[in-house]
Amino acid sequence: MNVRDELPVDHRLSLVYRIGAALCGAILLAFGCLGFADQLGFFTTEGARIGGLSTNGLLSLISVVVGAVLVGAASIGGNLASTVNITVGCLFVLSGFVHLFMIDKAVNILDFSMSNVVFSFVMGLLITTFGMYGRVSGGLPHDNPYWRRRHPGQVAREDSRAAAPATALTRR
């Protein structure tokens, strides 16, 4: 099964995944590039701040890499963009929890502060929401490609019911 099997090529949900990935990726790329522009030390924990967030060279590098992954997924689109959004978003939330316990400890090599933790939670939830939009819900409409993929028996019954009146009309 191919990554693109579930979603039609030009489905409107692909646009949501692409916009979400591109928007969040651009924010991360800007943050990382500003960190590099300030020539921050790679492992410094001196409290350099960019946009209200503490940072260092390593966090700038991670931000640029993750931002590039999101922008790359946005350029490809489809299920790949959705899956990358979900994965990256969950990793952001997990990072927020991990760094919450690392604040003011020697192992805090990314120089996370409480504002960084809150940013990780908010960005993670935003990216995950973009990735799950129209894909995960109990109330998906029956024309949704994900619902149709998960309920092939019911799709066949509904399609045969929809085709039955048309067939009866053509026989007359």
Side-chain angles (χ1 to χ4, degrees), residues 79-163:
N79 284 352
L80 180 68
S82 172
T83 303
V84 168
N85 280 350
I86 292 169
T87 303
V88 169
C90 289
L91 289 174
F92 259 87
V93 172
L94 179 63
S95 171
F97 279 116
V98 168
H99 286 96
L100 181 63
F101 296 105
M102 293 172 60
I103 293 175
D104 295 332
K105 299 208 173 41
V107 294
N108 187 6
I109 61 171
L110 295 179
D111 193 28
F112 260 56
S113 64
M114 193 59 177
S115 60
N116 293 72
V117 170
V118 170
F119 177 81
S120 286
F121 287 145
V122 170
M123 183 64 88
L125 291 173
L126 181 66
I127 295 171
T128 304
T129 301
F130 274 123
M132 290 183 173
Y133 181 79
R135 191 171 180 174
V136 180
S137 171
L140 293 175
H142 290 206
D143 67 339
N144 183 291
Y146 296 105
W147 184 91
R148 295 180 68 80
R149 180 77 171 192
R150 292 179 193 135
H151 303 91
Q154 192 168 349
V155 168
R157 286 190 300 274
E158 288 180 4
D159 287 349
S160 66
R161 258 187 265 138

Side-chain angles (χ1 to χ4, degrees), residues 6-87:
E6 285 186 38
L7 193 62
V9 176
D10 293 325
H11 197 274
R12 65 187 182 276
L13 291 175
S14 183
L15 183 63
V16 174
Y17 308 143
R18 291 180 118 165
I19 289 172
L23 176 69
C24 295
I27 291 169
L28 292 172
L29 281 170
F31 176 75
C33 289
L34 287 172
F36 286 137
D38 280 354
Q39 298 178 348
L40 302 171
F42 210 66
F43 291 106
T44 185
T45 56
E46 300 296 316
R49 299 186 81 72
I50 294 177
L53 303 173
S54 59
T55 189
N56 61 20
L58 181 58
L59 184 57
S60 294
L61 176 64
I62 292 169
S63 297
V64 166
V65 169
V66 173
V69 166
L70 286 170
V71 169
S75 68
I76 294 169
N79 284 352
L80 180 68
S82 172
T83 303
V84 168
N85 280 350
I86 292 169
T87 303

